[in-house]
Amino acid sequence: MWEPQQPSVRMVTRLLLLTSALLSTCQAAESPALFTSVTLTLEPSNAVSQGTNVTVRCQALVSSSGFLNRKYTIYKDNTVVYTESITTAEDLIYSLRMARVANTGKYKCKVNIPGKELSSSSEKLTVTGLQTPVLSVDKRVFSEGEEVTVGCKAPGESGAIVFYFYKDSKELYEERVDANHVETRLRFNNAGDHRLHCDYRVILLTDSVPSNASNNVVVTVKELFITPVISVRPHGSMIIEGDNLDISCSVSGNLQNSSGLKVFLSKGPTLLSSGQSKANHSMRALAEHSGEFQCSLEVGNVVKRATENVRITELFSQPVLTMYPTEVFEREKITLTCKSTNYSSDRISASDVKYSIYKDNYTLTPGSFNGIYVVPGVVPNSSGIYSCKADARMISKYSAKLPVQAKVLVSKPEITAIGRVIVGKPFQVRCHSDRGSLPIEYTLWKKYSEVNSTTVQQPHHQAIFPVTVQHYSDMQDYKCEARNNPKIDTVVSNKLNTTVIVPLSNPGLSVVPDLLEVTEGNEMYLICGVEGSPPVTFKWYRRGNVQPLCTTTSTQSSASHHIKGVGNEHSGTYYCEAINYANMVRSQPVTVDVKMATWKKGLIVACCLLVVALLALACVLRYNSKRGKRENAAELSVKPSSPKSDDSLTVSLTHSTMEVYNPPEVGVDAAVSVWSERPVDPGSDGESSAASNNEPDVEYTEVVHRQPVDPARAPLRKGTETVYSEVQNSPTGAPGDHYDYGSVEYADLNGDQPEVNHALLEVNHQDHHDLPVPVE
């Protein structure tokens, strides 16, 4: 049974909803309305260049008592370009994006409301500037008489456009289109090269050719002898809030032949009342009702207006909500005061005004509240939107909203150094608190002395102080304070704790082993040491080399460069550099002289001893050889020659060749050399005879004039042999000097200068030198 009834219930519900919608539409259509004005404006201006965004704004001021449907129509040169219907009082916006020359023209706006319409005055828009056209050809080379497709395009342009094609600057073809491009086929009969181009013209109504003015006709317009009349009660300027206000709008004059007459009573855009010949409106006067009331009379298309300015005195002024203190921190008490400063003493007293306070639209106080309220400090979050209301004689007024943001106490600040801290160089210290409402005052202290202070006003600002320390231990002396509530003591940070970089100093390069002990084949360590903060980068250099020998980074104050198998090539001048984040220092150069290896020295000494031994052996062998030659020479035949006088001495040697050399005179008679060929001695032995067969015997005789015999200069004897010595001054004049002239030995017995000349005997022989022998 219930199922057949369900469709009928649904149908009835739908019919009720449809009827309600129709009734609301009819009521909206029948709602009276009155035009005030319709205006059209062009933004940004009436004259723009191409590519500018232009806004066409249509504004309609309509007085109505309720829902109203408006239809807006935009015209350009009396041609509809845009239409839209809206139900709100907002302006209609018609946008021309990237305006072109084709948008040039006269614009106006017409607004339709049920049974009425009103148009604005025209505004002319002028757009200047055209885009450069682009010519296209399907092929560049073709035969005489062949057709070619040619196109011309005006990028971004619109409207009615006439395109013109030219050949060698002469017009060849034209075509009008309602687009920004055109294509056509052209035939060329003349052979040769031709230059083609195109241009275009945008057709505008304003560019048409005007005619002459027509004849003048005088017409007369008669005034309607009816006028609107507005009246306000009570009369005068003493209208106080709460009074009954009666306003009427009527018509004065001859109402004959005034069919279709209507009157409208309005205040601003609000239509208060309307009628055929009279309109009345009554209300309880409020201060916001003060202003201009308007009575409009409408007959056909004729509208006449009358206005009355009404001033209403406040019964009591709008309440003002204040708080104390003006800045409040979390968990602090707040005193809220709501008061109306002015009231009409003729009607009410101050006690007649009652107040209520609200927070976030929730009531905090009853309606009989006297206007002062204290928010307890135990409330965890006192932030919110506060307002109050004043009531008297059934009139209520609300204060402006008062946003309250409870401040957050500043938290313990943190003190940090920005960047690297180097002794002796300026750096920055930052003080920052994670929590706390601005403004916050930060103060930097060094022990018990204030260094500097600053106040942070904006969220993106920071408290930064410039600082310079002269010793790394000074960092522990800095701390900062923060305060944002003058009623509470400052909050102090911990001491500044950061890494301090001490610049490097006193660089030195040492060599291990000692410089005097660096020998070939051993190991050598170049140790570079400094004073300062690690990490330190050490570099070792050898003078003359641009690139470092070695580079290493250490957390210690020294480092070493190890050289294995030192050789002579490692001799030279070395120095090192040390670098940390503060500076770079260089050591004094150290010269390394690699000594020869011990085994090499021993080898050299051994070689030298071997050479000396060999030389000594050679000398012994030479001495023995000479001695054997002397013994052989003693066996030679030596015979004396007859002296010419008693003071002459003749020395004769029988040999192959003998040359006598006479030195210059030394103050005595010069020696006389006699060359004679000696006859064969019959008494000589066979050996001498045999020798004489090969070459003649030559006898060399030296005649020496002798001085008187000095017993002290007696001939030397060696054993039983007699040795004659030649006496001659030594170069140094030292007595007892000996001279060796080849194999002839002479002895200076007493060191005196001899009085005689001597002969240097040079004996050439194939096997040996013959020693001089005395001649008896």
Side-chain angles (χ1 to χ4, degrees), residues 365-565:
T365 62
S368 59
F369 177 62
N370 61 359
I372 299 177
Y373 178 72
V374 178
V375 179
V378 296
V379 177
N381 187 7
S382 54
S383 301
I385 304 298
Y386 291 84
S387 63
C388 72
K389 181 181 71 170
D391 294 291
R393 294 200 176 182
M394 301 180 66
I395 296 177
S396 298
K397 293 184 179 181
Y398 291 88
S399 69
K401 293 182 178 181
L402 177 64
V404 175
Q405 182 64 45
K407 289 190 172 183
V408 179
L409 288 175
V410 66
S411 61
K412 183 177 180 179
E414 295 181 358
I415 182 170
T416 56
I418 301 176
R420 294 189 177 99
V421 180
I422 301 175
V423 173
K425 293 185 179 181
F427 63 97
Q428 292 181 328
V429 172
R430 177 177 59 195
C431 290
H432 174 70
S433 296
D434 292 333
R435 296 178 67 251
S437 299
L438 300 177
I440 301 175
E441 181 182 5
Y442 293 94
T443 304
L444 181 66
W445 293 82
K446 183 180 180 182
K447 289 187 176 180
Y448 304 104
S449 300
E450 180 180 337
V451 177
N452 202 351
S453 64
T454 185
T455 301
V456 175
Q457 302 282 357
Q458 301 296 330
H460 58 279
H461 290 175
Q462 294 180 337
I464 297 178
F465 304 95
V467 174
T468 302
V469 295
Q470 301 302 327
H471 194 268
Y472 70 91
S473 62
D474 294 344
M475 296 297 294
Q476 298 293 326
D477 298 336
Y478 288 94
K479 60 184 178 180
C480 70
E481 296 178 347
R483 170 187 287 176
N484 66 346
N485 187 356
K487 296 179 292 185
I488 300 178
D489 293 338
T490 58
V491 186
V492 183
S493 70
N494 295 327
K495 294 181 179 180
L496 179 59
N497 186 13
T498 187
T499 301
V500 181
I501 300 175
V502 179
L504 300 178
S505 61
N506 300 327
L509 179 65
S510 58
V511 180
V512 175
D514 189 77
L515 291 175
L516 299 177
E517 299 177 1
V518 179
T519 58
E520 292 179 320
N522 293 337
E523 296 181 346
M524 180 174 66
Y525 293 88
L526 301 176
I527 302 175
C528 188
V530 293
E531 295 179 1
S533 297
V536 182
T537 299
F538 295 93
K539 295 182 179 181
W540 287 265
Y541 292 87
R542 182 177 179 180
R543 182 170 292 174
N545 294 343
V546 178
Q547 298 297 327
L549 302 175
C550 178
T551 301
T552 183
T553 300
S554 173
T555 57
Q556 305 298 323
S557 60
S558 63
S560 64
H561 172 45
H562 183 203
I563 301 177
K564 298 180 179 179

Side-chain angles (χ1 to χ4, degrees), residues 98-114:
M98 304 293 289
R100 301 297 181 187
V101 172
N103 298 124
T104 300
K106 291 183 179 180
Y107 290 82
K108 72 175 181 178
C109 173
K110 185 175 72 172
V111 181
N112 293 80
I113 59 176

Side-chain angles (χ1 to χ4, degrees), residues 26-39:
C26 294
Q27 290 176 359
E30 294 175 356
S31 297
L34 177 66
F35 271 116
T36 300
S37 64
V38 177
T39 57

Side-chain angles (χ1 to χ4, degrees), residues 197-306:
H197 75 276
C198 69
D199 61 19
Y200 64 93
R201 290 170 178 80
V202 178
I203 305 300
L204 300 177
L205 183 61
T206 54
D207 290 339
S208 59
V209 178
S211 64
N212 296 328
S214 66
N215 58 312
N216 295 324
V217 176
V218 178
V219 296
T220 302
V221 179
K222 293 182 179 182
E223 181 183 0
L224 294 176
F225 294 100
I226 53 175
T227 56
V229 177
I230 184 172
S231 62
V232 178
R233 292 181 182 181
H235 297 288
S237 59
M238 288 303 296
I239 303 176
I240 301 176
E241 284 184 315
D243 294 345
N244 291 324
L245 182 62
D246 296 323
I247 304 172
S248 64
C249 177
S250 59
V251 179
S252 175
N254 186 6
L255 298 181
Q256 295 180 357
N257 300 324
S258 299
S259 59
L261 185 146
K262 271 192 174 183
V263 294
F264 300 90
L265 178 61
S266 61
K267 183 180 184 294
T270 304
L271 182 63
L272 301 177
S273 180
S274 62
Q276 295 294 326
S277 60
K278 191 174 183 179
N280 297 320
H281 181 71
S282 298
M283 58 184 173
R284 187 179 179 85
L286 297 176
E288 60 265 22
H289 295 157
S290 297
E292 186 179 75
F293 289 81
Q294 180 176 274
C295 175
S296 302
L297 182 150
E298 186 180 281
V299 180
N301 292 326
V302 177
V303 178
K304 291 187 176 184
R305 296 180 176 88

Side-chain angles (χ1 to χ4, degrees), residues 329-348:
F329 286 83
E330 290 179 343
R331 300 187 179 277
E332 282 189 346
K333 293 182 179 180
I334 305 174
T335 300
L336 298 174
T337 302
C338 182
K339 285 295 182 182
S340 293
T341 56
N342 299 320
Y343 59 93
S344 179
S345 59
D346 295 341
R347 304 290 179 92
I348 60 173

